[in-house]
Amino acid sequence: MKGLIVITLLGILSLLAEVFNVKKLIYPIAIIGLLFALIINTTEWNNTFSWSYSDKMVMFDNLALAFSSVLIITALLWLMMAKSYFNETANVVEHTSLVLYSLVGALILVAFKSLVTLFLGVEILSIPLYVLAASRKKDILSNEAGFKYLIMGSFASAFLLFGIALLYGAAGSFDLEKVTQTLSQEHLPYFTYTGIIMILIAMAFKVSIAPFHFWTPDVYEGSPMVITALMSTIVKTAAFAAIMKLFMISFYPVFESYVHIISWLIIISLIIANLSALNQNNTKRLLAFSSISHAAIMMLLIIANVRTNLSVNALLYYAWAYSIANITAFAVLRIVAEKRGETIDSLKGLAFEKPMLAFAMIIAMISLAGIPISAGFFAKYYVFSALLISPYKWLIVVALLASVVSVFYYLKLVIAMFQHTKQNHKEQFEGLSISGREVILLTICSLLLIASGIYPDIIANIFLVK
């Protein structure tokens, strides 16, 4: 809770930076503030902060603290990657405050106790991203991305509100505990099930589950590279924490009414995402379809319905591994895109001229593909382990086949980096420089992915709820 308060105050401070003429200091202040929020999070472990004004709306128990810590660490790594995005002094105040408030929304989503706070968390997370997606004002693709994201996000919000209203009609309360008690009763009104399905559709939009994924490739491609990285990491982690709390805990009494729907959404997502990714030449569109596939695999934990720490640990570890791999990949692509563009061909020759970038990219792709020994491999292993003790273990076969297909398009990026071109490599990457900050970032991310793969239990002991 204290971490949420710190980041909220940090967002307010960033808005006042222009008034006090400290715009140049807002970036380091944001870094320091997030580090402080992370430290405060650790002090609340097993010592939940209680405040009578908010206890019925949000509660930062150990589960929420674990997810919020992953979100804050991801945000810190993202800020290191996105430094150049904040070098535009004219917009630094707006950009910083929007990012911080989006993070506030994400933290609310991991700790909500009421359907009202769920809605507020979704909107506070999403609205800044609509603006950030369109922040490259002179780029028509960026404008299109912001517009599409706004329209589709509003559509999802309408479903969410309607679903919440129907559940309120059944339970007479927005409190999740009272909703769960109501769902435990027999002879529920039919509109109650309709409300749950509408909330499922809304959350499926947020995490890009097919067939509610159509906005994702266009928005990922049109948005600035760093904003695409933000959407693919922080949004996914926060949204899946909310999905877990809703569909694996609060709505559990009527689990059978939606589990088959989720299973079919997973199958459709795995097929569409992986087959579509094979034909992509734009790296951001490829990673967009990759994110749809990973969202489907994370959804497997919901239908596994293993109501123990096994599912919680698996989801938390997966969010961690996926976020770090994506930050690494987008950090490399952002550096290359400044001089070479965003296509797969822009990576050709990278291994010969910029081996450090190539090495970091290889580690990220191996992890996303789930190849041993990597963080991504154990992330999928934990998910499949949870699914093995459920009636839906047959979906493991579908997920494994999809993972095999995904190896091909991840290797496309790796192979491209080792391909020679007609142009001399030095001329090809002339002017492409790597700052010390970027070297540190890529080193940290690569080491985290390798360490998480070699010593998964040690990393799990740090980041997972026991």
Side-chain angles (χ1 to χ4, degrees), residues 381-420:
Y381 169 78
Y382 291 143
V383 173
F384 295 158
S385 295
L387 203 61
L388 271 174
I389 54 178
S390 78
Y392 298 92
K393 56 177 70 71
W394 58 272
L395 274 173
I396 295 177
V397 178
V398 180
L400 285 173
L401 290 173
S403 296
V404 171
V405 174
S406 72
V407 172
F408 288 96
Y409 58 80
Y410 290 127
L411 286 181
K412 276 173 64 177
L413 299 176
V414 175
I415 292 169
M417 293 188 290
F418 288 91
Q419 287 181 335
H420 290 278

Side-chain angles (χ1 to χ4, degrees), residues 207-210 212-221 228 232 236 268-297 322 326 330 368 402 405-406 409-410:
V207 296
S208 310
I209 291 288
F212 310 107
H213 69 289
F214 294 106
W215 60 272
T216 312
D218 292 338
V219 172
Y220 273 42
E221 181 183 9
T228 304
S232 70
K236 279 280 194 295
I268 294 169
S269 297
L270 288 172
I271 293 172
I272 291 177
N274 288 287
L275 293 181
S276 299
L278 289 172
N279 299 319
Q280 301 305 314
N281 188 44
N282 182 283
T283 53
K284 287 200 289 187
R285 290 186 73 87
L286 188 150
L287 290 177
F289 285 109
S290 164
S291 75
I292 298 168
S293 177
H294 283 280
I297 292 176
Y322 173 76
N326 264 270
F330 278 108
L368 288 172
V405 174
S406 72
Y409 58 80
Y410 290 127

Side-chain angles (χ1 to χ4, degrees), residues 61-138:
D61 52 13
N62 283 358
L63 175 61
L65 289 171
F67 272 103
S68 60
S69 295
V70 171
L71 286 168
I72 294 171
I73 291 170
T74 304
L76 282 166
L77 294 173
W78 180 86
L79 280 171
M80 290 180 68
M81 178 193 75
K83 177 65 169 68
S84 61
Y85 184 71
F86 294 93
N87 286 341
E88 305 170 25
T89 52
N91 298 317
V92 66
V93 170
E94 292 85 351
H95 290 170
T96 307
S97 58
L98 287 169
V99 168
L100 289 172
Y101 280 121
S102 187
L103 181 58
V104 167
L107 294 179
I108 292 173
L109 275 183
V110 304
F112 71 94
K113 288 188 67 181
S114 165
L115 293 174
V116 172
T117 0
L118 166 68
F119 178 73
L120 289 175
V122 167
E123 294 306 300
I124 296 171
L125 171 68
S126 302
I127 292 173
L129 288 173
Y130 302 152
V131 180
L132 290 168
S135 59
R136 198 180 290 154
K137 298 176 184 178
K138 296 182 181 179

Side-chain angles (χ1 to χ4, degrees), residues 155-161 197-207 212:
F155 189 61
S157 295
F159 270 86
L160 181 61
L161 269 179
I197 299 305
M198 294 189 82
I199 292 175
L200 174 61
I201 291 172
M203 299 309 293
F205 267 109
K206 293 302 176 184
V207 296
F212 310 107

